[in-house]
Amino acid sequence: MARIGVFVCHCGENISATVDCGKVAETIGNLKHVAYSTEYKYMCSDPGQTLIKDAIKEHNLTGVVVSACSPRMHEPTFRKACAEGGLNPFLCEMANLREHCSWVHEKNELTTEKAIDIVRTQVEKVKLNSALQPIKVPVTKTAMVIGGGIAGIQSALDIANTGHKVIMIERSPSIGGHMSQLSETFPTLDCSQCILTPRMVEVAQHPNITLYTYAEVESVEGFIGNFKVKVRKKAKSLDEKACTGCGLCTTKCPQKKIPNEFEQGMGMRPAIYVPFPQAVPNRPVIDRENCTYYIKGKCKICEIVCPTKAIRFDQPDEILELEIGAIVVATGFDIKHADFFPEYGHGRYKDIIDGLQFERLASASGPTAGVIKRPSDGEIPKNIVFIACAGSRDPAKGIAYCSKICCMYTAKHAMLYKHKVHEGKAHVFYMDIRSGGKNYDEFVRRAIEEDHVNYIRGRVSTVFERDGKLIVKGVDTLLGAQQVEIVADMVVLATAGVASSGAEDLAQKLHVSYDSHKFFAEAHPKLKPVETNTAGIFLAGACQNPKDIPDAVSQASGAAVKVAALFSQSELTREPLVAIVNRTSPPTYSTCVGCFMCQSVCPYQAIEREEFKARDGKVVKTVAKINEGLCQGCGTCVALCRSKSIDLLGYSNTQVYAEVVALLNEY
Amino acid sequence: MKFGIYPGCSLTGSARDYNESVFAIAEAFGLEFTQIPDWNCCGATAAHNLNKELSLALPARILALAEKNGLEEIIVPCAACYSRLVVTQHELKKDPELKNRICEVIEMDYRGTSVILNVIEWIDKYIIPKLEEKIVKPFNHKVACYYGCLLVRPDKILNYDRAEDPQTLDIVMSKIGAAPVDYPFKTECCGAGLSISRTDIVSKLSGKIIEDAEHRGAEAIIVACPMCHSNLDMRRPDINKYWKAKYKIPVIFVTQAIGLAIGLPAEKVGLKRHFVEVKIS
Ligand SMILES: Cc1cc2nc3c(=O)[nH]c(=O)nc-3n(C[C@H](O)[C@H](O)[C@H](O)COP(=O)(O)OP(=O)(O)OC[C@H]3O[C@@H](n4cnc5c(N)ncnc54)[C@H](O)[C@@H]3O)c2cc1C
Ligand code: SF4
Ligand code: SF4
Ligand code: SF4
Ligand code: SF4
């Protein structure tokens, strides 16, 4: 006979403020089959758990209902406590009195009544629970890092240094990400390339890292420890082993008028190109969309000049099928461009540029060799205006969030400008200066006090051109909202940081959540910032939200530790809450009629065919069988099966029915 | 095709020129109007500054009258009236309780089914498709298209042009042969309702709009709002006095320009009623 124990938690005052916990415990205690019922202030605390363990032994309990918070929060805690008390952990259920009751209702009798009802359903359910054993699955100890910016690089190196294999997938021809485009970096003004390039080389040379550039994830199947990932290696039109990286092809390619992505469109590149001199790998790719041969069928000059005969025009894309244990997503961010700012004339006037373009102008390896020249006529601007929060913190633009990095890089830009153009004037329009970070505010103060950058607190309404000058109209809110008009030679917009293109698509392939701005979503905003809600997939860097290099790197190392912890286990245990197709004695074998409708709806490809053979080897029946390693217990097949042959362990039809009946019946 | 038209206070008064041009081109394109019978004031700026219910009830009554008279599509040439009508329709759609309350106030049924068009939308939908074949005298002039504050706003509700850098008027003008200049003052304030009470402010603000248009070599400022027109045209003497200038650039309604392009005489489209002489044709 069932002997159920019920433990009602106050959750401090979270539950007890609106629910009469004493009354709940007492009422439930009077139910049939309830052998023990009590209340306590914090069930999840040590004494609370001990209370449960002791009661299991003392009252010889066959099932436990903890009436507390959401099972998402503490189900593992209480199941563990039950196991320690000698009860199979799957004989423990939670009744959610907090999220489903106390938090959403006023204090009154009805609320307490509802709490009692919630507990009753779980008492009825747990009576029908059966003892289940966890499922063991193996772990493939190879990690995949998607995206080769600084975050991806850091994660890959950290994982590789723990002795595990890493496969890095980068979609552009080189790793490095945005950091490779930066000139100098706040708050120290050290050269970005100088600190990044050694890391890039380390990735390429690390014995545990396999790098695939010009590659993208096609599909992801499987689950933690056992992902199957298909990767498309786009054709580089090149035999990478034969190519020595001499660069002859890139200098001889006659098609030289393609806007250079690395220079943010401020320079040109040939059709066969290496994105930048320090690129890793330092091998060219042919951009087929712009190559004369692919467009017109003629040219092949690169093939003719190549001393090692490395060019392969007919190279196809290659699909790699990889077995992966854990995935780190590090696909970074983008910034808003031209057409987003018609009111600032961006995209219409050449001398209105964005922050990344300014980085290239200020970079010694950039199109102007580090001299700040304006794009229209190459003149050095005497008056330069920086506009912070361009697009960010502007609900009317659909971007309510703060992009976090632009206050700092704007201060950096103004400083770099002043260091290069001593007689020039730099103005910054800002909403607030957000410079939280080690040595960050000091950095901004330096821009204002030592480099005499003119900070104006207020927004800019419009920028337009008149007689070759840019007129910036704004307001100074510290001077009684006075209107200001600055006649500038160049304007730099600190445009909003946004999700990288293709982020939504990738998130869907990975089955991880993303927010309304298409940034990847962490599993918990405070306590699980590097996890996603899909086990075995972690986040690093600006793919989660705009962040600076120190933050991106810290998170990347955090993700690496999570991967290393996962790989330290030889097998993983999974909750056995999976579906099963019933089996009966021959000649029926199962009530399953073999329609395999379930197979077509299972989102995890977990349903297989099982054949039953007669003695002569003839197949007499084929029925469905569920691979418990793949099944995620979503229940779709259960709902679909017309012959009611499938049930979900832990959530069987009879259990759910018992819950419903409990609600319908008086007690 | 028959439309309802809501003239508001200006079209039969200070903006007769606008009214004449709207009717003239409609006739040329075989389009007819029925004035919404017994129409009332839209509430203008005053109502929504004083009393929210009143500011919704006045336009709601107009729309209810249109519904009652079977006018499914109504054109509202005045940008300010247009804004009041569109905002009311939006607010009442959003909040059924408020809608019921307003119906009580106006003692009429209101369903919110009318399609409300401003002059540009109307041109886009009914004039542009047949425009090319009718053009006899392309309007080959450099123009500065001035939208003012209400024509494309509030953008959340209208959603048919970019609030900060609108394009629709420029597109219409290029279709009749004009060359719109890059004009940053498109949506700068002209002084609006201060036209009567603070002509000094209107002179200051409208002066800048006019100066920049002339500076960029525009031969005319194109508008689609009676209020903008009176500030830029009727107040020109005040503006010139304020800025000690001699701005001569004429201010032409988009409908007048279309009228000229399809060969209508200047009188027919009200061009002789302007304060600043219109020499281009
Ligand atoms: C103008 C500007 C100035 C800045 N200055 C500074 C500074 O001075 N100091 C500082 O600390 N920070 C600065 N930052 C911030 C810095 O750029 C970021 O913190 C950093 O680049 C984040 O690194 P990440 O690896 O997360 O992303 P990214 O640098 O964006 O790298 C992401 C990588 O993933 C790849 N990728 C994207 N999608 C896919 C996909 N689907 N599959 C495969 N690969 C993919 C991309 O090609 C890229 O290589 C600045 C940013 C800007 C815009
Ligand atoms: S074939 Fe293409 S990549 Fe090669 S040289 Fe010609 S244009 Fe350049
Ligand atoms: S010429 Fe040949 S070897 Fe040299 S970089 Fe080009 S492909 Fe490589
Ligand atoms: S970091 Fe600064 S500039 Fe960027 S959005 Fe936030 S407040 Fe604006
Ligand atoms: S419950 Fe059924 S549909 Fe869902 S994952 Fe398992 S087998 Fe597939």
Side-chain angles (χ1 to χ4, degrees), chain B residues 141-144 179 181 211-220 249:
Chain B
H141 301 284
K142 275 173 93 174
V143 295
V181 297
E211 190 276 336
D212 195 73
E214 280 202 358
H215 182 84
R216 285 168 201 272
E219 296 162 70
I249 186 169

Side-chain angles (χ1 to χ4, degrees), chain B residues 17-260:
Chain B
D17 36 11
Y18 191 19
N19 200 39
E20 284 164 6
S21 64
V22 171
F23 274 83
I25 64 168
E27 190 190 327
F29 282 83
L31 306 167
E32 269 180 65
F33 295 129
T34 306
Q35 204 176 82
I36 297 172
D38 193 32
W39 59 268
N40 51 269
C41 167
C42 74
T45 316
H48 68 98
N49 280 326
L50 295 173
N51 182 322
K52 175 161 181 198
E53 226 163 64
L54 177 67
S55 77
L56 296 172
L58 289 168
R61 182 171 181 279
I62 299 163
L63 293 170
L65 283 168
E67 282 170 19
K68 193 170 139 198
N69 289 283
L71 302 167
E72 283 157 21
E73 251 178 321
I74 51 178
I75 139 159
V76 188
C78 167
C81 303
Y82 169 70
S83 169
R84 289 320 309 156
L85 263 58
V86 172
V87 169
T88 300
Q89 197 179 49
H90 175 80
E91 296 271 318
L92 299 188
K93 187 171 171 191
K94 221 173 50 182
D95 185 349
E97 244 170 65
L98 183 65
K99 187 191 98 175
N100 294 340
R101 166 87 194 109
I102 295 292
C103 284
E104 271 170 35
V105 173
I106 61 176
E107 295 175 350
M108 281 177 83
D109 244 8
Y110 163 88
R111 283 170 296 138
T113 47
S114 310
V115 176
I116 311 169
L117 301 175
N118 70 18
V119 108
I120 313 249
E121 289 173 299
W122 176 70
I123 291 172
D124 242 356
K125 208 162 159 191
Y126 296 103
I127 304 284
I128 296 283
K130 287 185 265 167
L131 183 61
E132 211 176 309
E133 63 203 61
K134 280 213 156 33
I135 292 181
V136 291
K137 221 167 89 195
F139 195 79
N140 288 330
H141 301 284
K142 275 173 93 174
V143 295
C145 294
Y146 176 69
Y147 296 71
C149 54
L150 289 172
L151 198 58
V152 298
R153 289 202 183 97
D155 62 331
K156 277 221 178 63
I157 299 178
L158 302 187
N159 215 354
Y160 83 93
D161 203 340
R162 306 194 300 209
E164 300 299 338
D165 183 39
Q167 301 296 321
T168 40
L169 195 49
D170 294 67
I171 295 169
V172 168
M173 286 309 290
S174 22
K175 292 239 161 88
I176 59 167
V181 297
D182 175 25
Y183 186 47
F185 282 74
K186 277 177 177 182
T187 57
E188 289 293 298
C189 179
C190 69
L194 297 177
S195 194
I196 316 281
S197 52
R198 290 290 301 271
T199 41
D200 56 327
I201 292 180
V202 166
S203 300
K204 180 173 163 195
L205 297 176
S206 286
K208 291 187 185 175
I209 292 166
I210 292 166
E211 190 276 336
D212 195 73
E214 280 202 358
H215 182 84
R216 285 168 201 272
E219 296 162 70
I221 298 176
I222 304 298
V223 297
C225 168
M227 174 96 77
C228 303
H229 191 267
S230 53
N231 280 342
L232 298 173
D233 178 70
M234 186 175 78
R235 291 288 173 225
R236 187 66 62 87
D238 303 277
I239 294 168
N240 280 343
K241 206 155 102 200
Y242 183 94
W243 288 97
K244 298 190 182 59
K246 289 188 180 129
Y247 301 130
K248 289 202 182 67
I249 186 169
V251 186
I252 300 180
F253 287 105
V254 56
T255 40
Q256 295 177 314
I258 294 175
L260 289 179

Side-chain angles (χ1 to χ4, degrees), chain A residues 197-246:
Chain A
T197 313
R199 294 289 177 100
M200 292 164 61
V201 175
E202 213 181 322
V203 166
Q205 293 178 347
H206 203 294
N208 283 342
I209 301 180
T210 311
L211 173 61
Y212 295 113
T213 53
Y214 222 43
E216 272 182 82
V217 170
E218 279 277 298
S219 66
V220 181
E221 279 167 21
F223 54 93
I224 180 169
N226 298 273
F227 293 106
K228 290 192 175 39
V229 185
K230 279 199 186 127
V231 169
R232 175 180 295 271
K233 258 186 85 196
K234 286 176 284 181
K236 294 182 175 176
S237 313
L238 182 87
D239 178 346
E240 285 185 86
K241 295 214 177 74
C243 170
T244 59
C246 72

Side-chain angles (χ1 to χ4, degrees), chain A residues 198-383:
Chain A
R199 294 289 177 100
M200 292 164 61
V201 175
E202 213 181 322
V203 166
Q205 293 178 347
H206 203 294
N208 283 342
I209 301 180
T210 311
L211 173 61
Y212 295 113
T213 53
Y214 222 43
E216 272 182 82
V217 170
E218 279 277 298
S219 66
V220 181
E221 279 167 21
F223 54 93
I224 180 169
N226 298 273
F227 293 106
K228 290 192 175 39
V229 185
K230 279 199 186 127
V231 169
R232 175 180 295 271
K233 258 186 85 196
K234 286 176 284 181
K236 294 182 175 176
S237 313
L238 182 87
D239 178 346
E240 285 185 86
K241 295 214 177 74
C243 170
T244 59
C246 72
L248 208 56
C249 54
T250 60
T251 49
K252 294 288 189 235
C253 172
Q255 177 53 273
K256 288 206 161 52
K257 285 266 171 287
I258 304 158
N260 188 331
E261 298 86 355
F262 184 77
E263 302 294 1
Q264 294 294 118
M266 291 191 305
M268 298 294 170
R269 64 158 173 85
I272 183 163
Y273 72 110
V274 180
F276 52 100
Q278 302 86 340
V280 169
N282 207 313
R283 297 284 181 275
V285 298
I286 296 184
D287 162 10
R288 291 189 176 183
E289 266 169 39
N290 288 300
C291 159
T292 318
Y293 172 70
Y294 289 102
I295 297 169
K296 296 197 182 135
K298 279 207 279 277
C299 180
K300 291 202 175 184
I301 289 176
C302 49
E303 188 179 41
I304 298 162
V305 299
C306 175
T308 64
K309 298 284 161 263
I311 304 290
R312 299 282 181 274
F313 285 109
D314 53 0
Q315 194 175 58
D317 284 4
E318 205 184 318
I319 303 286
L320 308 172
E321 296 194 14
L322 305 168
E323 308 259 324
I324 299 293
I327 298 175
V328 176
V329 185
T331 50
F333 70 114
D334 267 328
I335 56 168
K336 274 281 178 203
H337 293 293
D339 49 343
F340 202 59
F341 302 97
E343 65 275 33
Y344 291 164
H346 188 188
R348 217 168 343 144
Y349 309 128
K350 279 190 179 157
D351 295 327
I352 302 184
I353 62 172
D354 61 47
L356 277 176
Q357 289 175 311
F358 188 86
E359 292 287 343
R360 294 316 300 150
L361 285 185
S363 168
S365 67
T368 56
V371 183
I372 310 288
K373 290 181 185 166
R374 61 181 201 171
S376 63
D377 54 8
E379 290 286 313
I380 294 176
K382 304 249 156 29
N383 241 314

